[in-house]
Amino acid sequence: MVSISAVLLGSVMYFVEYSQEVAEAVRAGTAEEGMRSKFDSILNSCWWAVITITTVGYGDMVPETLAGKMVGSCAVFLALVLIALPATIIVTKFSEEYEKGVSKVQQEEIMGAS
C-alpha cells in the first residue's frame, strides 16, 4: 500500500511541480539553475514521496508551488493513516497478548507451587 501511494503521490507531485515552461527550457538548454525543479522526473518525485511517507523528509526536495504544498500535506496525512494508525493498533494488540501470556505463566507457577 505504501509503494502504491508513493508512486501515485510522486507522479502527482511531478506533474504539479515540473511545469511545461521549465521542461521546455531544460530541453532547449536555457534553463537557469534556480529555474530547475528538484522534481525533474517521476522517479525523483517518487523518492520524495517515499521519504515523506516513511519519515519527516530530508529537506533536499521541497515543493515550491501552492499545489505542490497541498500534495505534500496530503502525503503527510496519508502517512499517518498508512503507518502511524496501524502501528498503534499492532502495538496495542501485542501488549494485550503479552499481558495474557504473563498472567497465564503466573497462574501456572501458582498452580505448580501448590
Side-chain angles (χ1 to χ4, degrees):
M1 193 66 168
V2 173
S3 60
I4 293 171
S5 301
V7 170
L8 186 67
L9 284 168
S11 300
V12 170
M13 185 60 83
Y14 170 76
F15 287 110
V16 166
E17 285 290 315
Y18 197 69
S19 68
Q20 187 66 29
E21 176 183 311
V22 173
E24 290 173 5
V26 168
R27 274 189 233 114
T30 59
E32 300 171 11
E33 190 60 36
M35 186 180 190
R36 289 185 167 216
S37 172
K38 295 276 187 176
F39 300 93
D40 56 353
S41 70
I42 292 179
L43 187 61
N44 283 345
S45 299
C46 288
W47 167 253
W48 168 86
V50 167
I51 296 305
T52 302
I53 290 173
T54 58
T55 64
V56 292
Y58 290 141
D60 57 344
M61 296 174 70
V62 180
E64 297 176 5
T65 63
L66 178 62
K69 291 176 184 178
M70 291 173 68
V71 171
S73 298
C74 290
V76 170
F77 288 119
L78 184 65
L80 287 172
V81 171
L82 287 178
I83 294 174
L85 289 177
T88 57
I89 292 169
I90 291 169
V91 168
T92 302
K93 293 297 181 185
F94 176 80
S95 179
E96 289 173 3
E97 292 299 319
Y98 180 77
E99 290 299 323
K100 286 180 189 176
V102 167
S103 66
K104 185 176 179 180
V105 168
Q106 288 175 346
Q107 285 178 356
E108 289 174 358
E109 287 177 356
I110 292 172
M111 292 296 198
S114 303

